[in-house]
Amino acid sequence: MGTNDQTRSLPRGLRLVAVAGAAALTLTAGLATPLDPAPRQARAADDGKVLTVAVAQSVDSLSPFLAVRLLSTSIHRLMYEYLTNYDPKDNHAIPGLATKWESSPDKLTWTYTIRSNSKWSDGKQATAEDAAWTFNKMMTDDGAATANGSYVGNFKKVTAPSPTELVIELKKPQATMTSLDVPIVPKHVWEKVSDFSEFNNDKNFPVVGNGPFTLTDYKADSYVRLKANKGFWRGGPKFDEVVFRYYKDQDAAVSALRKGEVSFVAGSPSLTPAQAESLEGAENIRVNDAPGRRFYALATNPGAKAKNGKKFGDGHPSLLDQRVRNALFMAVDREAIIEKVFRGHAVEGEGYIPPRFQNYFWKPSADQKLAYDPAEAARLLDQAGYKKNGDGKRVGKDGKPISYRVLCHATDPNDKAVGKYLQEWWGELGIGVQLNCLDNVTDPWLAGKYDLAFDGWSVNPDPDFVMSIHTCGALPATPEDTGATDNFICDKKYDELYARQLAEYDPAKRADIVQQMESRLYDLGYMNVMAYPNAVEAYRTDQIKSITTMPAKAGNIYGQDGYWSWWSAVPADSGGSSDNASSTGVVVAIVAGVVILAGLGGFAALRRRATAEERE
């Protein structure tokens, strides 16, 4: 679904709440919209330097306690500090709101030193009490635990003995203590919130934060505006504002880039091969094509249920048979998807974690791999009792021809293209496919009213979050509630492995357990990874002089595990180079094909998620 920040256009375990009363934006000549296509530079009326990012995903919530989409969690990276951050060069943990941290010998008590030079945008000092309050609220309020509750489930007690000291006591060892990807919020603002499950943080502007940017304006399905925090402790951004502008039509966003109406185009989350190729060689435009941090998958409805045992939704009963799920995946030609849909801007999917994170990357053995084999797929379906009738249609136990509803993102051309192939491939098996392409896939997803769905997440350097969304504990409490689950998977063996990896501090041993979890997911067949798409994006060099990729060598710009790209970006008309970026490697690598980056995992590189859609 939809990243951590982890991220988050992907559906995630989150109820969409109608947004009303957002302050209206007075559009200036510097901020053209799809309704005003006249060419113009992305500049504010007062000639401030504005970096406008065209995105194909809307905000799910501006509350860091609820948001899971990649766009939303990326914005929170700009608004709030986390205890730790990730070095853009190699993903290792570095100071954020905490300047240092240490654990007790038994690893059950962690003490963080909170920096004294971070202030909230209303002038108040950011302290350890803010961090303690944030974690305690998540520990005691189910609504506040919606997006990131997995991080605090093992917390025993959190206190702030002084303004600069935060102490977290654990029930048992937890390997993610240097990668708690939780935005720390100001207690004096958020303690006034009465219902965390409903509060979207989108009514009063500017929103109080302590990150490199301050949220100043928002209009649902239109734009998000952030102003540079020139007093940010790491140094103020070079651009005065960053505006994320939503385009339902990705081709329109690419057109806006050509005209200079926007500075950067991310896609949904990537540009299509045709769009990228059309921009190659264009004047003042640079295309960044690098190994991504996302996977692209087919999620199967395993029979939606809640923690209280109540089942809901209407997933097709045949999909409860593992043989059927495996047969469907064996009838998917992943090589054809890479060649014909992604046109080489991806690599074939196998395990749950992309090859960019080499320590956790997993491949099935030759005997285990569900290779493309339509004949074997047909045999498995016959064996499961779903045979063809006289018309060549597979028939369910109810005697009716089988036809699967496949949830599809209306804004993602890849979903539609792959969907057409599924209709062909599964049609040869005698199974019908009904593509259900919607602007809002979240509602039917959370209601369990689907058979299969296109899915994808941005994976963080630390895999805990993206693995947690398939645990039984991520299920909603009741059918009426919202859980953190991706697609309602609940498997006892998987849960046991998840608990073991969370408590394992040895990097190699933990990586081995994570790979066992990936193997288990693969065998269950509820989550079938088809591809690892490249991060394909573009920006105008006459508006952006330089910008940081993550990792520094052949990495992405949009949807990073941190704020590096937008914080480091240097306006094209700036003299000299960016002081901010001098230590982070301001470079954009233009990569042809996919490069597998080795050695970017490890315990030292633990962090917070990406999408969304990433969360990611």
Side-chain angles (χ1 to χ4, degrees), residues 8 22 52 84 122 138 142 155 168 174 191 276 476 513 545:
R8 110 240 127 137
T52 304
T84 60
D122 61 3
M138 294 169 60
D142 289 340
F155 286 13
I168 300 178
Q174 180 169 325
E191 64 184 353
I513 299 171
K545 180 179 181 179

Side-chain angles (χ1 to χ4, degrees), residues 388-608:
K388 289 183 178 181
N389 61 15
D391 296 326
K393 305 295 183 182
R394 295 276 170 184
V395 178
K397 300 299 173 65
D398 58 2
K400 298 179 181 179
I402 297 174
S403 181
Y404 294 131
R405 300 158 300 161
V406 181
L407 273 179
C408 161
H409 300 85
T411 58
D412 192 336
N414 292 328
D415 285 7
K416 297 175 182 177
V418 175
K420 295 295 183 182
Y421 281 110
L422 294 183
Q423 290 176 327
E424 174 186 338
W425 294 329
W426 293 354
E428 293 175 357
L429 290 176
I431 292 174
V433 174
Q434 176 189 339
L435 286 179
N436 192 14
C437 296
L438 305 172
D439 290 333
N440 171 21
V441 300
T442 302
D443 288 349
W445 193 304
L446 296 182
K449 294 184 176 181
Y450 65 97
D451 297 321
L452 298 105
F454 289 102
D455 196 3
W457 286 79
S458 291
V459 178
N460 307 313
D462 186 277
D464 179 77
F465 176 85
V466 80
M467 306 306 289
S468 75
I469 58 178
H470 296 308
T471 60
C472 299
L475 295 175
T478 72
E480 291 72 36
D481 292 316
T482 299
T485 185
D486 183 17
N487 64 320
F488 305 101
I489 294 175
C490 178
D491 176 70
K492 183 178 179 181
K493 182 176 179 180
Y494 180 88
D495 275 17
E496 292 172 350
L497 290 169
Y498 175 79
R500 284 177 54 200
Q501 68 81 29
L502 185 61
E504 181 57 69
Y505 282 97
D506 182 274
K509 292 180 180 178
R510 184 175 182 229
D512 179 69
I513 299 171
V514 170
Q515 291 174 356
Q516 291 180 51
M517 295 171 69
E518 294 181 78
S519 178
R520 180 64 178 171
L521 277 180
Y522 187 89
D523 289 342
L524 288 173
Y526 291 121
M527 178 62 61
N528 294 312
V529 178
M530 295 182 288
Y532 308 115
N534 284 16
V536 186
E537 50 204 359
Y539 68 94
R540 293 197 63 91
T541 56
D542 58 351
Q543 294 186 27
I544 302 175
K545 180 179 181 179
S546 60
I547 194 166
T548 297
T549 60
M550 185 177 186
K553 294 182 180 180
N556 56 292
I557 297 172
Y558 177 72
Q560 295 180 356
D561 294 294
Y563 43 66
W564 307 112
S565 53
W566 316 126
W567 171 77
S568 73
V570 179
D573 56 1
S574 295
S577 62
S578 167
D579 293 335
N580 287 347
S582 61
S583 65
T584 59
V586 180
V587 59
V588 173
I590 308 301
V591 181
V594 177
V595 179
I596 296 180
L597 302 179
L600 293 183
F603 177 68
L606 301 184
R607 57 67 60 286
R608 163 333 178 210

Side-chain angles (χ1 to χ4, degrees), residues 197-511:
S197 67
E198 297 290 340
F199 181 71
N200 278 299
N201 199 26
D202 58 5
K203 298 296 187 294
N204 298 313
F205 301 97
V207 175
V208 178
N210 64 337
F213 290 88
T214 300
L215 178 62
T216 58
D217 200 4
Y218 165 68
K219 183 177 181 181
D221 297 326
S222 183
Y223 63 82
V224 181
R225 183 190 293 273
L226 301 106
K227 182 179 179 180
N229 175 8
K230 297 299 184 180
F232 184 55
W233 68 268
R234 200 185 289 272
K238 297 300 184 183
F239 276 92
D240 298 305
E241 286 187 329
V242 170
V243 176
F244 294 91
R245 185 164 296 282
Y246 173 67
Y247 286 81
K248 183 177 179 180
D249 184 336
Q250 190 164 301
D251 286 332
V254 172
S255 177
L257 182 75
R258 287 183 177 278
K259 298 172 183 177
E261 298 169 0
V262 300
S263 316
F264 180 97
V265 172
S268 61
S270 294
L271 298 178
T272 66
Q275 290 167 341
E277 290 165 13
S278 74
L279 292 172
E280 289 283 4
E283 185 178 4
N284 296 323
I285 291 178
R286 180 170 296 171
V287 175
N288 184 47
D289 184 352
R293 55 190 281 254
R294 297 183 59 77
F295 63 78
Y296 182 72
L298 270 175
T300 305
N301 187 338
K305 62 182 178 181
K307 289 180 184 177
N308 64 5
K310 291 188 177 180
K311 297 181 180 180
F312 57 97
D314 57 4
H316 200 287
S318 64
L319 295 173
L320 299 180
D321 191 319
Q322 182 177 331
R323 293 169 296 183
V324 174
R325 299 191 298 270
N326 287 350
L328 292 177
F329 197 44
M330 294 179 74
V332 173
D333 188 344
R334 281 164 286 173
E335 291 184 2
I337 290 175
I338 300 303
E339 177 185 353
K340 297 179 180 179
V341 177
F342 291 99
R343 288 163 62 172
H345 297 272
V347 293
E348 182 179 342
E350 294 177 301
Y352 196 61
I353 296 176
R356 171 162 150 179
F357 305 105
Q358 189 64 33
N359 285 10
Y360 299 108
F361 178 60
W362 170 87
K363 294 169 66 72
S365 65
D367 293 338
Q368 184 182 18
K369 184 173 181 178
L370 299 174
Y372 179 58
D373 190 342
E376 177 62 14
R379 189 192 70 79
L380 282 175
L381 291 172
D382 287 340
Q383 184 186 81
Y386 298 98
K387 298 184 178 181
K388 289 183 178 181
N389 61 15
D391 296 326
K393 305 295 183 182
R394 295 276 170 184
V395 178
K397 300 299 173 65
D398 58 2
K400 298 179 181 179
I402 297 174
S403 181
Y404 294 131
R405 300 158 300 161
V406 181
L407 273 179
C408 161
H409 300 85
T411 58
D412 192 336
N414 292 328
D415 285 7
K416 297 175 182 177
V418 175
K420 295 295 183 182
Y421 281 110
L422 294 183
Q423 290 176 327
E424 174 186 338
W425 294 329
W426 293 354
E428 293 175 357
L429 290 176
I431 292 174
V433 174
Q434 176 189 339
L435 286 179
N436 192 14
C437 296
L438 305 172
D439 290 333
N440 171 21
V441 300
T442 302
D443 288 349
W445 193 304
L446 296 182
K449 294 184 176 181
Y450 65 97
D451 297 321
L452 298 105
F454 289 102
D455 196 3
W457 286 79
S458 291
V459 178
N460 307 313
D462 186 277
D464 179 77
F465 176 85
V466 80
M467 306 306 289
S468 75
I469 58 178
H470 296 308
T471 60
C472 299
L475 295 175
T478 72
E480 291 72 36
D481 292 316
T482 299
T485 185
D486 183 17
N487 64 320
F488 305 101
I489 294 175
C490 178
D491 176 70
K492 183 178 179 181
K493 182 176 179 180
Y494 180 88
D495 275 17
E496 292 172 350
L497 290 169
Y498 175 79
R500 284 177 54 200
Q501 68 81 29
L502 185 61
E504 181 57 69
Y505 282 97
D506 182 274
K509 292 180 180 178
R510 184 175 182 229

